[in-house]
C-alpha cells in the first residue's frame, strides 16, 4: 500500500472529523456574533451546523469501529481465553455488520428518493442528497472498518496473537 493510502487509512477519519468540527465551530461562532452584535442571523448557518454535526456523528462512529471504541460490556472478556475473546469480538462484529448492511440499504433508499424528487434544503437551497448521504457514507465506512477488523482478527487468531482490543481509556 502506498504511503498516501496508509496515511488515509490511519488518519482519514481524524482529518474528516477535524474538518467538520472546525466548520461547525466556526459557523456557530459567526452566527452567534451576527446574532448578538448585528441582531441578524442567517438560516444557512443553522443548516451548516446541523449537517456538520450529522457528518461528525457518522464519521465518528466509523472511527470508533476502527479503534474498537464503541460502548460494550466487557467484564466477561477478562475471564475468557484469548480464542474465546477473539470469537466474541468476531461475533459482535458480525452482528454489527448485519445491522450496518440493513441500515446502509435503507439510508441509501432515502438518498435515492430525495434525488428522484429533487428536494433541497430550506436555507442553502442545495440538494439534500449531499446531507442525506452522510448516513449511507457513514455505514459504508463502518462496513469497510468492520472488514478490516475481521481480517485483523482472523490473522491474529491464525498467528496465535491476542485479539486487538483497542486503546484502553481508563487503564
Amino acid at each position: 500500500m502506498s504511503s498516501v493510502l496508509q496515511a488515509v487509512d490511519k488518519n482519514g477519519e481524524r482529518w474528516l472529523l477535524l474538518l467538520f468540527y472546525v466548520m461547525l465551530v466556526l459557523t456557530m461562532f459567526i452566527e452567534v456574533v451576527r446574532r448578538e452584535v448585528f441582531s441578524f442571523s442567517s438560516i444557512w448557518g443553522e443548516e451548516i451546523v446541523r449537517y456538520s454535526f450529522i457528518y461528525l456523528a457518522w464519521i465518528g462512529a466509523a472511527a470508533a469501529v476502527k479503534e474498537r471504541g464503541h460502548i460494550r460490556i466487557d467484564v466477561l472478556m477478562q475471564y475468557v481465553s484469548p480464542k474465546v475473546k477473539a470469537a466474541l469480538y468476531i461475533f459482535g462484529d458480525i452482528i454489527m455488520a448485519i445491522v450496518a448492511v440493513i441500515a446502509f440499504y435503507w439510508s441509501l433508499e432515502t438518498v435515492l428518493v430525495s434525488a428522484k424528487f429533487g428536494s433541497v434544503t430550506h436555507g442553502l437551497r442545495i440538494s439534500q442528497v449531499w446531507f442525506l448521504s452522510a448516513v449511507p457514507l457513514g455505514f459504508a465506512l463502518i462496513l469497510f472498518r468492520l472488514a478490516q477488523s475481521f481480517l485483523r482478527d482472523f490473522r491474529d487468531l491464525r498467528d496465535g496473537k491476542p485479539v486487538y482490543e483497542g486503546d484502553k481509556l481508563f487503564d
Side-chain angles (χ1 to χ4, degrees), residues 9-82:
D9 183 49
K10 183 178 181 184
N11 296 312
E13 286 96 348
R14 288 181 183 183
W15 295 333
L16 288 171
L17 288 170
L18 179 64
L19 171 78
F20 285 108
Y21 187 71
V22 167
M23 194 164 55
L24 182 145
V25 170
L26 284 177
T27 305
M28 196 179 306
F29 175 76
I30 290 168
E31 286 302 304
V32 167
V33 169
R34 287 175 67 167
R35 186 173 295 131
E36 297 301 322
V37 174
F38 301 111
S39 297
F40 178 78
S41 65
S42 65
I43 192 168
W44 61 263
E46 183 266 333
E47 282 185 356
I48 293 289
V49 170
R50 179 185 328 136
Y51 296 129
S52 294
F53 186 76
I54 291 169
Y55 270 96
L56 272 171
W58 290 109
I59 295 167
V65 167
K66 177 184 172 197
E67 295 297 326
R68 284 223 160 110
H70 281 285
I71 296 173
R72 62 183 178 266
I73 300 171
D74 60 355
V75 70
L76 181 66
M77 297 294 196
Q78 298 171 5
Y79 302 107
V80 297
S81 70

Side-chain angles (χ1 to χ4, degrees), residues 1-167:
M1 193 184 302
S2 74
S3 61
V4 172
L5 288 177
Q6 285 178 337
V8 169
D9 183 49
K10 183 178 181 184
N11 296 312
E13 286 96 348
R14 288 181 183 183
W15 295 333
L16 288 171
L17 288 170
L18 179 64
L19 171 78
F20 285 108
Y21 187 71
V22 167
M23 194 164 55
L24 182 145
V25 170
L26 284 177
T27 305
M28 196 179 306
F29 175 76
I30 290 168
E31 286 302 304
V32 167
V33 169
R34 287 175 67 167
R35 186 173 295 131
E36 297 301 322
V37 174
F38 301 111
S39 297
F40 178 78
S41 65
S42 65
I43 192 168
W44 61 263
E46 183 266 333
E47 282 185 356
I48 293 289
V49 170
R50 179 185 328 136
Y51 296 129
S52 294
F53 186 76
I54 291 169
Y55 270 96
L56 272 171
W58 290 109
I59 295 167
V65 167
K66 177 184 172 197
E67 295 297 326
R68 284 223 160 110
H70 281 285
I71 296 173
R72 62 183 178 266
I73 300 171
D74 60 355
V75 70
L76 181 66
M77 297 294 196
Q78 298 171 5
Y79 302 107
V80 297
S81 70
K83 287 189 183 212
V84 172
K85 187 181 290 190
L88 288 172
Y89 276 120
I90 290 169
F91 177 72
D93 286 348
I94 289 170
I95 299 299
M96 189 182 299
I98 291 168
V99 170
V101 165
I102 294 167
F104 174 79
Y105 174 79
W106 286 109
S107 62
L108 189 60
E109 181 73 20
T110 303
V111 172
L112 296 174
V113 166
S114 178
K116 178 180 177 182
F117 291 106
S119 58
V120 296
T121 63
H122 298 291
L124 296 170
R125 305 302 298 167
I126 59 176
S127 176
Q128 279 192 328
V129 168
W130 293 104
F131 306 113
L132 293 173
S133 294
V135 180
L137 286 173
F139 278 113
L141 195 52
I142 287 170
L143 287 167
F144 175 72
R145 292 304 184 184
L146 282 170
Q148 286 181 322
S149 179
F150 285 132
L151 292 173
R152 180 186 57 222
D153 290 346
F154 285 123
R155 190 177 330 112
D156 289 346
L157 198 57
R158 181 193 67 207
D159 297 341
K161 293 175 17 183
V163 69
Y164 176 73
E165 296 186 61
D167 294 329

